Amino acid sequence: MGLFTDLRDSISRVVDRLFVDAEPKRIGIYGPPNAGKTTLANRIARDWTGDAVGPESHIPHETRRARRKENVEIERNGKTVTIDIVDTPGVTTKVDYKEFIEHDMEKEDAVRRSREATEGVAEAMHWLREDVDGVIYVLDSTQDPFTQVNTMLIGIIESQNLPVLIFANKIDLEESNVQRIANAYPQHETVPLSALEGDNMDEVYEKIAEYFG
C-alpha cells in the first residue's frame, strides 16, 4: 500500500503543479506618475487582444485604481506566456491638489482627484506586496531616475524576489537618456521603448516572454 500511496501522492503533486503553472501570471506595471504605464498597458493589450486597459491622459494620476486585463497571451521566439496585466496607479510620496489646478481643474475636482490618487498609491503598494508575480517598471527616460520613490519601489520588488524588467519609456523624445536609467539600476535589464509610438515593441515582447514565461 505504501508504494501505491507514494505513487498517488507523486501524481497528485505533478497535476497540482501543472494547474498552478497554467494560471496566468499577474504582472504589475509600476512606476512614478506620467511615466507612460497605462500607455504601455494599452499598447500590450491592444497588440494581443484588441482591447485597451484604461484611459490615458497627460494629467498626472489619470489611473487612480488598479486595472486588470486578463489572459493576455504573448508569443515570441517560440516562447508563449499568458499574463494578467495589472496597470497600477503612479506611486509618489506626495499628492498635492494644486498640481491638478495647474491643469485647469476646479478646486473641488482637484481635491477629489488628489484624494483618489492617494488611495491609489496605497492600493498599488498592496498589489506589490500581496498579488503580483512579476513587475514591469516603467520610467520616463527624459527624467532623472534617482528618486526616493524609484529607489524605494525597486528595493521592495527586490526584497520580494520578484522578476523585474525596467522599461525606459519615451525614447521618441529628444531629451531621452536611456543610459542614465541603465546606470542607475545596473542590476536589472533596461529595455528602451516608446509606448506611444510603438518603438522597439518587438524587444519588449521578447523580454516579457523570456522573463515571465
Side-chain angles (χ1 to χ4, degrees):
M1 290 295 291
L3 177 61
F4 287 110
T5 300
D6 291 344
L7 181 60
R8 182 191 62 195
D9 291 343
S10 296
I11 293 172
S12 177
R13 285 194 297 270
V14 170
V15 171
D16 288 344
R17 193 176 301 117
L18 286 173
F19 277 106
V20 169
D21 290 345
E23 287 293 314
K25 294 181 179 179
R26 296 179 301 273
I27 306 302
I29 299 182
Y30 278 83
N34 269 21
K37 296 180 298 299
T38 300
T39 304
L40 176 60
N42 284 341
R43 171 72 62 177
I44 296 171
R46 287 193 182 107
D47 282 353
W48 298 98
T49 73
D51 299 323
V53 176
E56 304 167 23
S57 173
H58 68 284
I59 302 175
H61 300 287
E62 179 63 34
T63 301
R64 299 183 296 283
R65 297 301 302 269
R67 300 187 181 96
R68 184 170 174 174
K69 182 66 177 175
E70 298 181 337
N71 296 312
V72 179
E73 186 176 286
I74 296 173
E75 299 179 26
R76 270 298 181 271
N77 297 334
K79 293 184 178 180
T80 300
V81 60
T82 302
I83 63 175
D84 290 350
I85 297 172
V86 184
D87 180 27
T88 67
V91 176
T92 183
T93 55
K94 180 181 179 182
V95 182
D96 190 341
Y97 77 90
K98 295 176 184 176
E99 182 179 9
F100 304 120
I101 290 178
E102 293 174 0
H103 288 275
D104 297 325
M105 278 191 180
E106 297 294 333
K107 182 176 180 180
E108 183 178 347
D109 292 334
V111 170
R112 174 182 52 79
R113 191 181 182 102
S114 65
R115 183 175 61 251
E116 292 173 352
T118 301
E119 293 170 353
V121 171
E123 183 184 13
M125 297 307 296
H126 173 79
W127 273 92
L128 183 58
R129 290 191 171 98
E130 304 290 340
D131 293 314
V132 296
D133 303 305
V135 172
I136 290 172
Y137 201 84
V138 182
L139 288 169
D140 181 343
S141 62
T142 70
Q143 302 295 316
D144 183 357
F146 285 108
T147 68
Q148 180 182 357
V149 167
N150 292 333
T151 301
M152 175 193 70
L153 278 177
I154 291 176
I156 292 172
I157 292 164
E158 291 172 344
S159 71
Q160 299 284 91
N161 292 318
L162 294 169
V164 57
L165 276 171
I166 295 180
F167 286 167
N169 192 26
K170 304 188 183 183
I171 61 171
D172 54 298
L173 300 181
E174 186 176 347
E175 318 91 274
S176 172
N177 187 338
V178 174
Q179 192 59 47
R180 182 168 55 178
I181 293 175
N183 292 341
Y185 305 104
Q187 70 273 36
H188 301 293
E189 186 160 8
T190 296
V191 181
L193 78 149
S194 169
L196 181 65
E197 300 295 335
D199 296 341
N200 204 38
M201 291 306 296
D202 282 341
E203 184 179 0
V204 166
Y205 294 137
E206 288 173 7
K207 293 302 181 182
I208 290 175
E210 176 185 341
Y211 271 66
F212 306 126

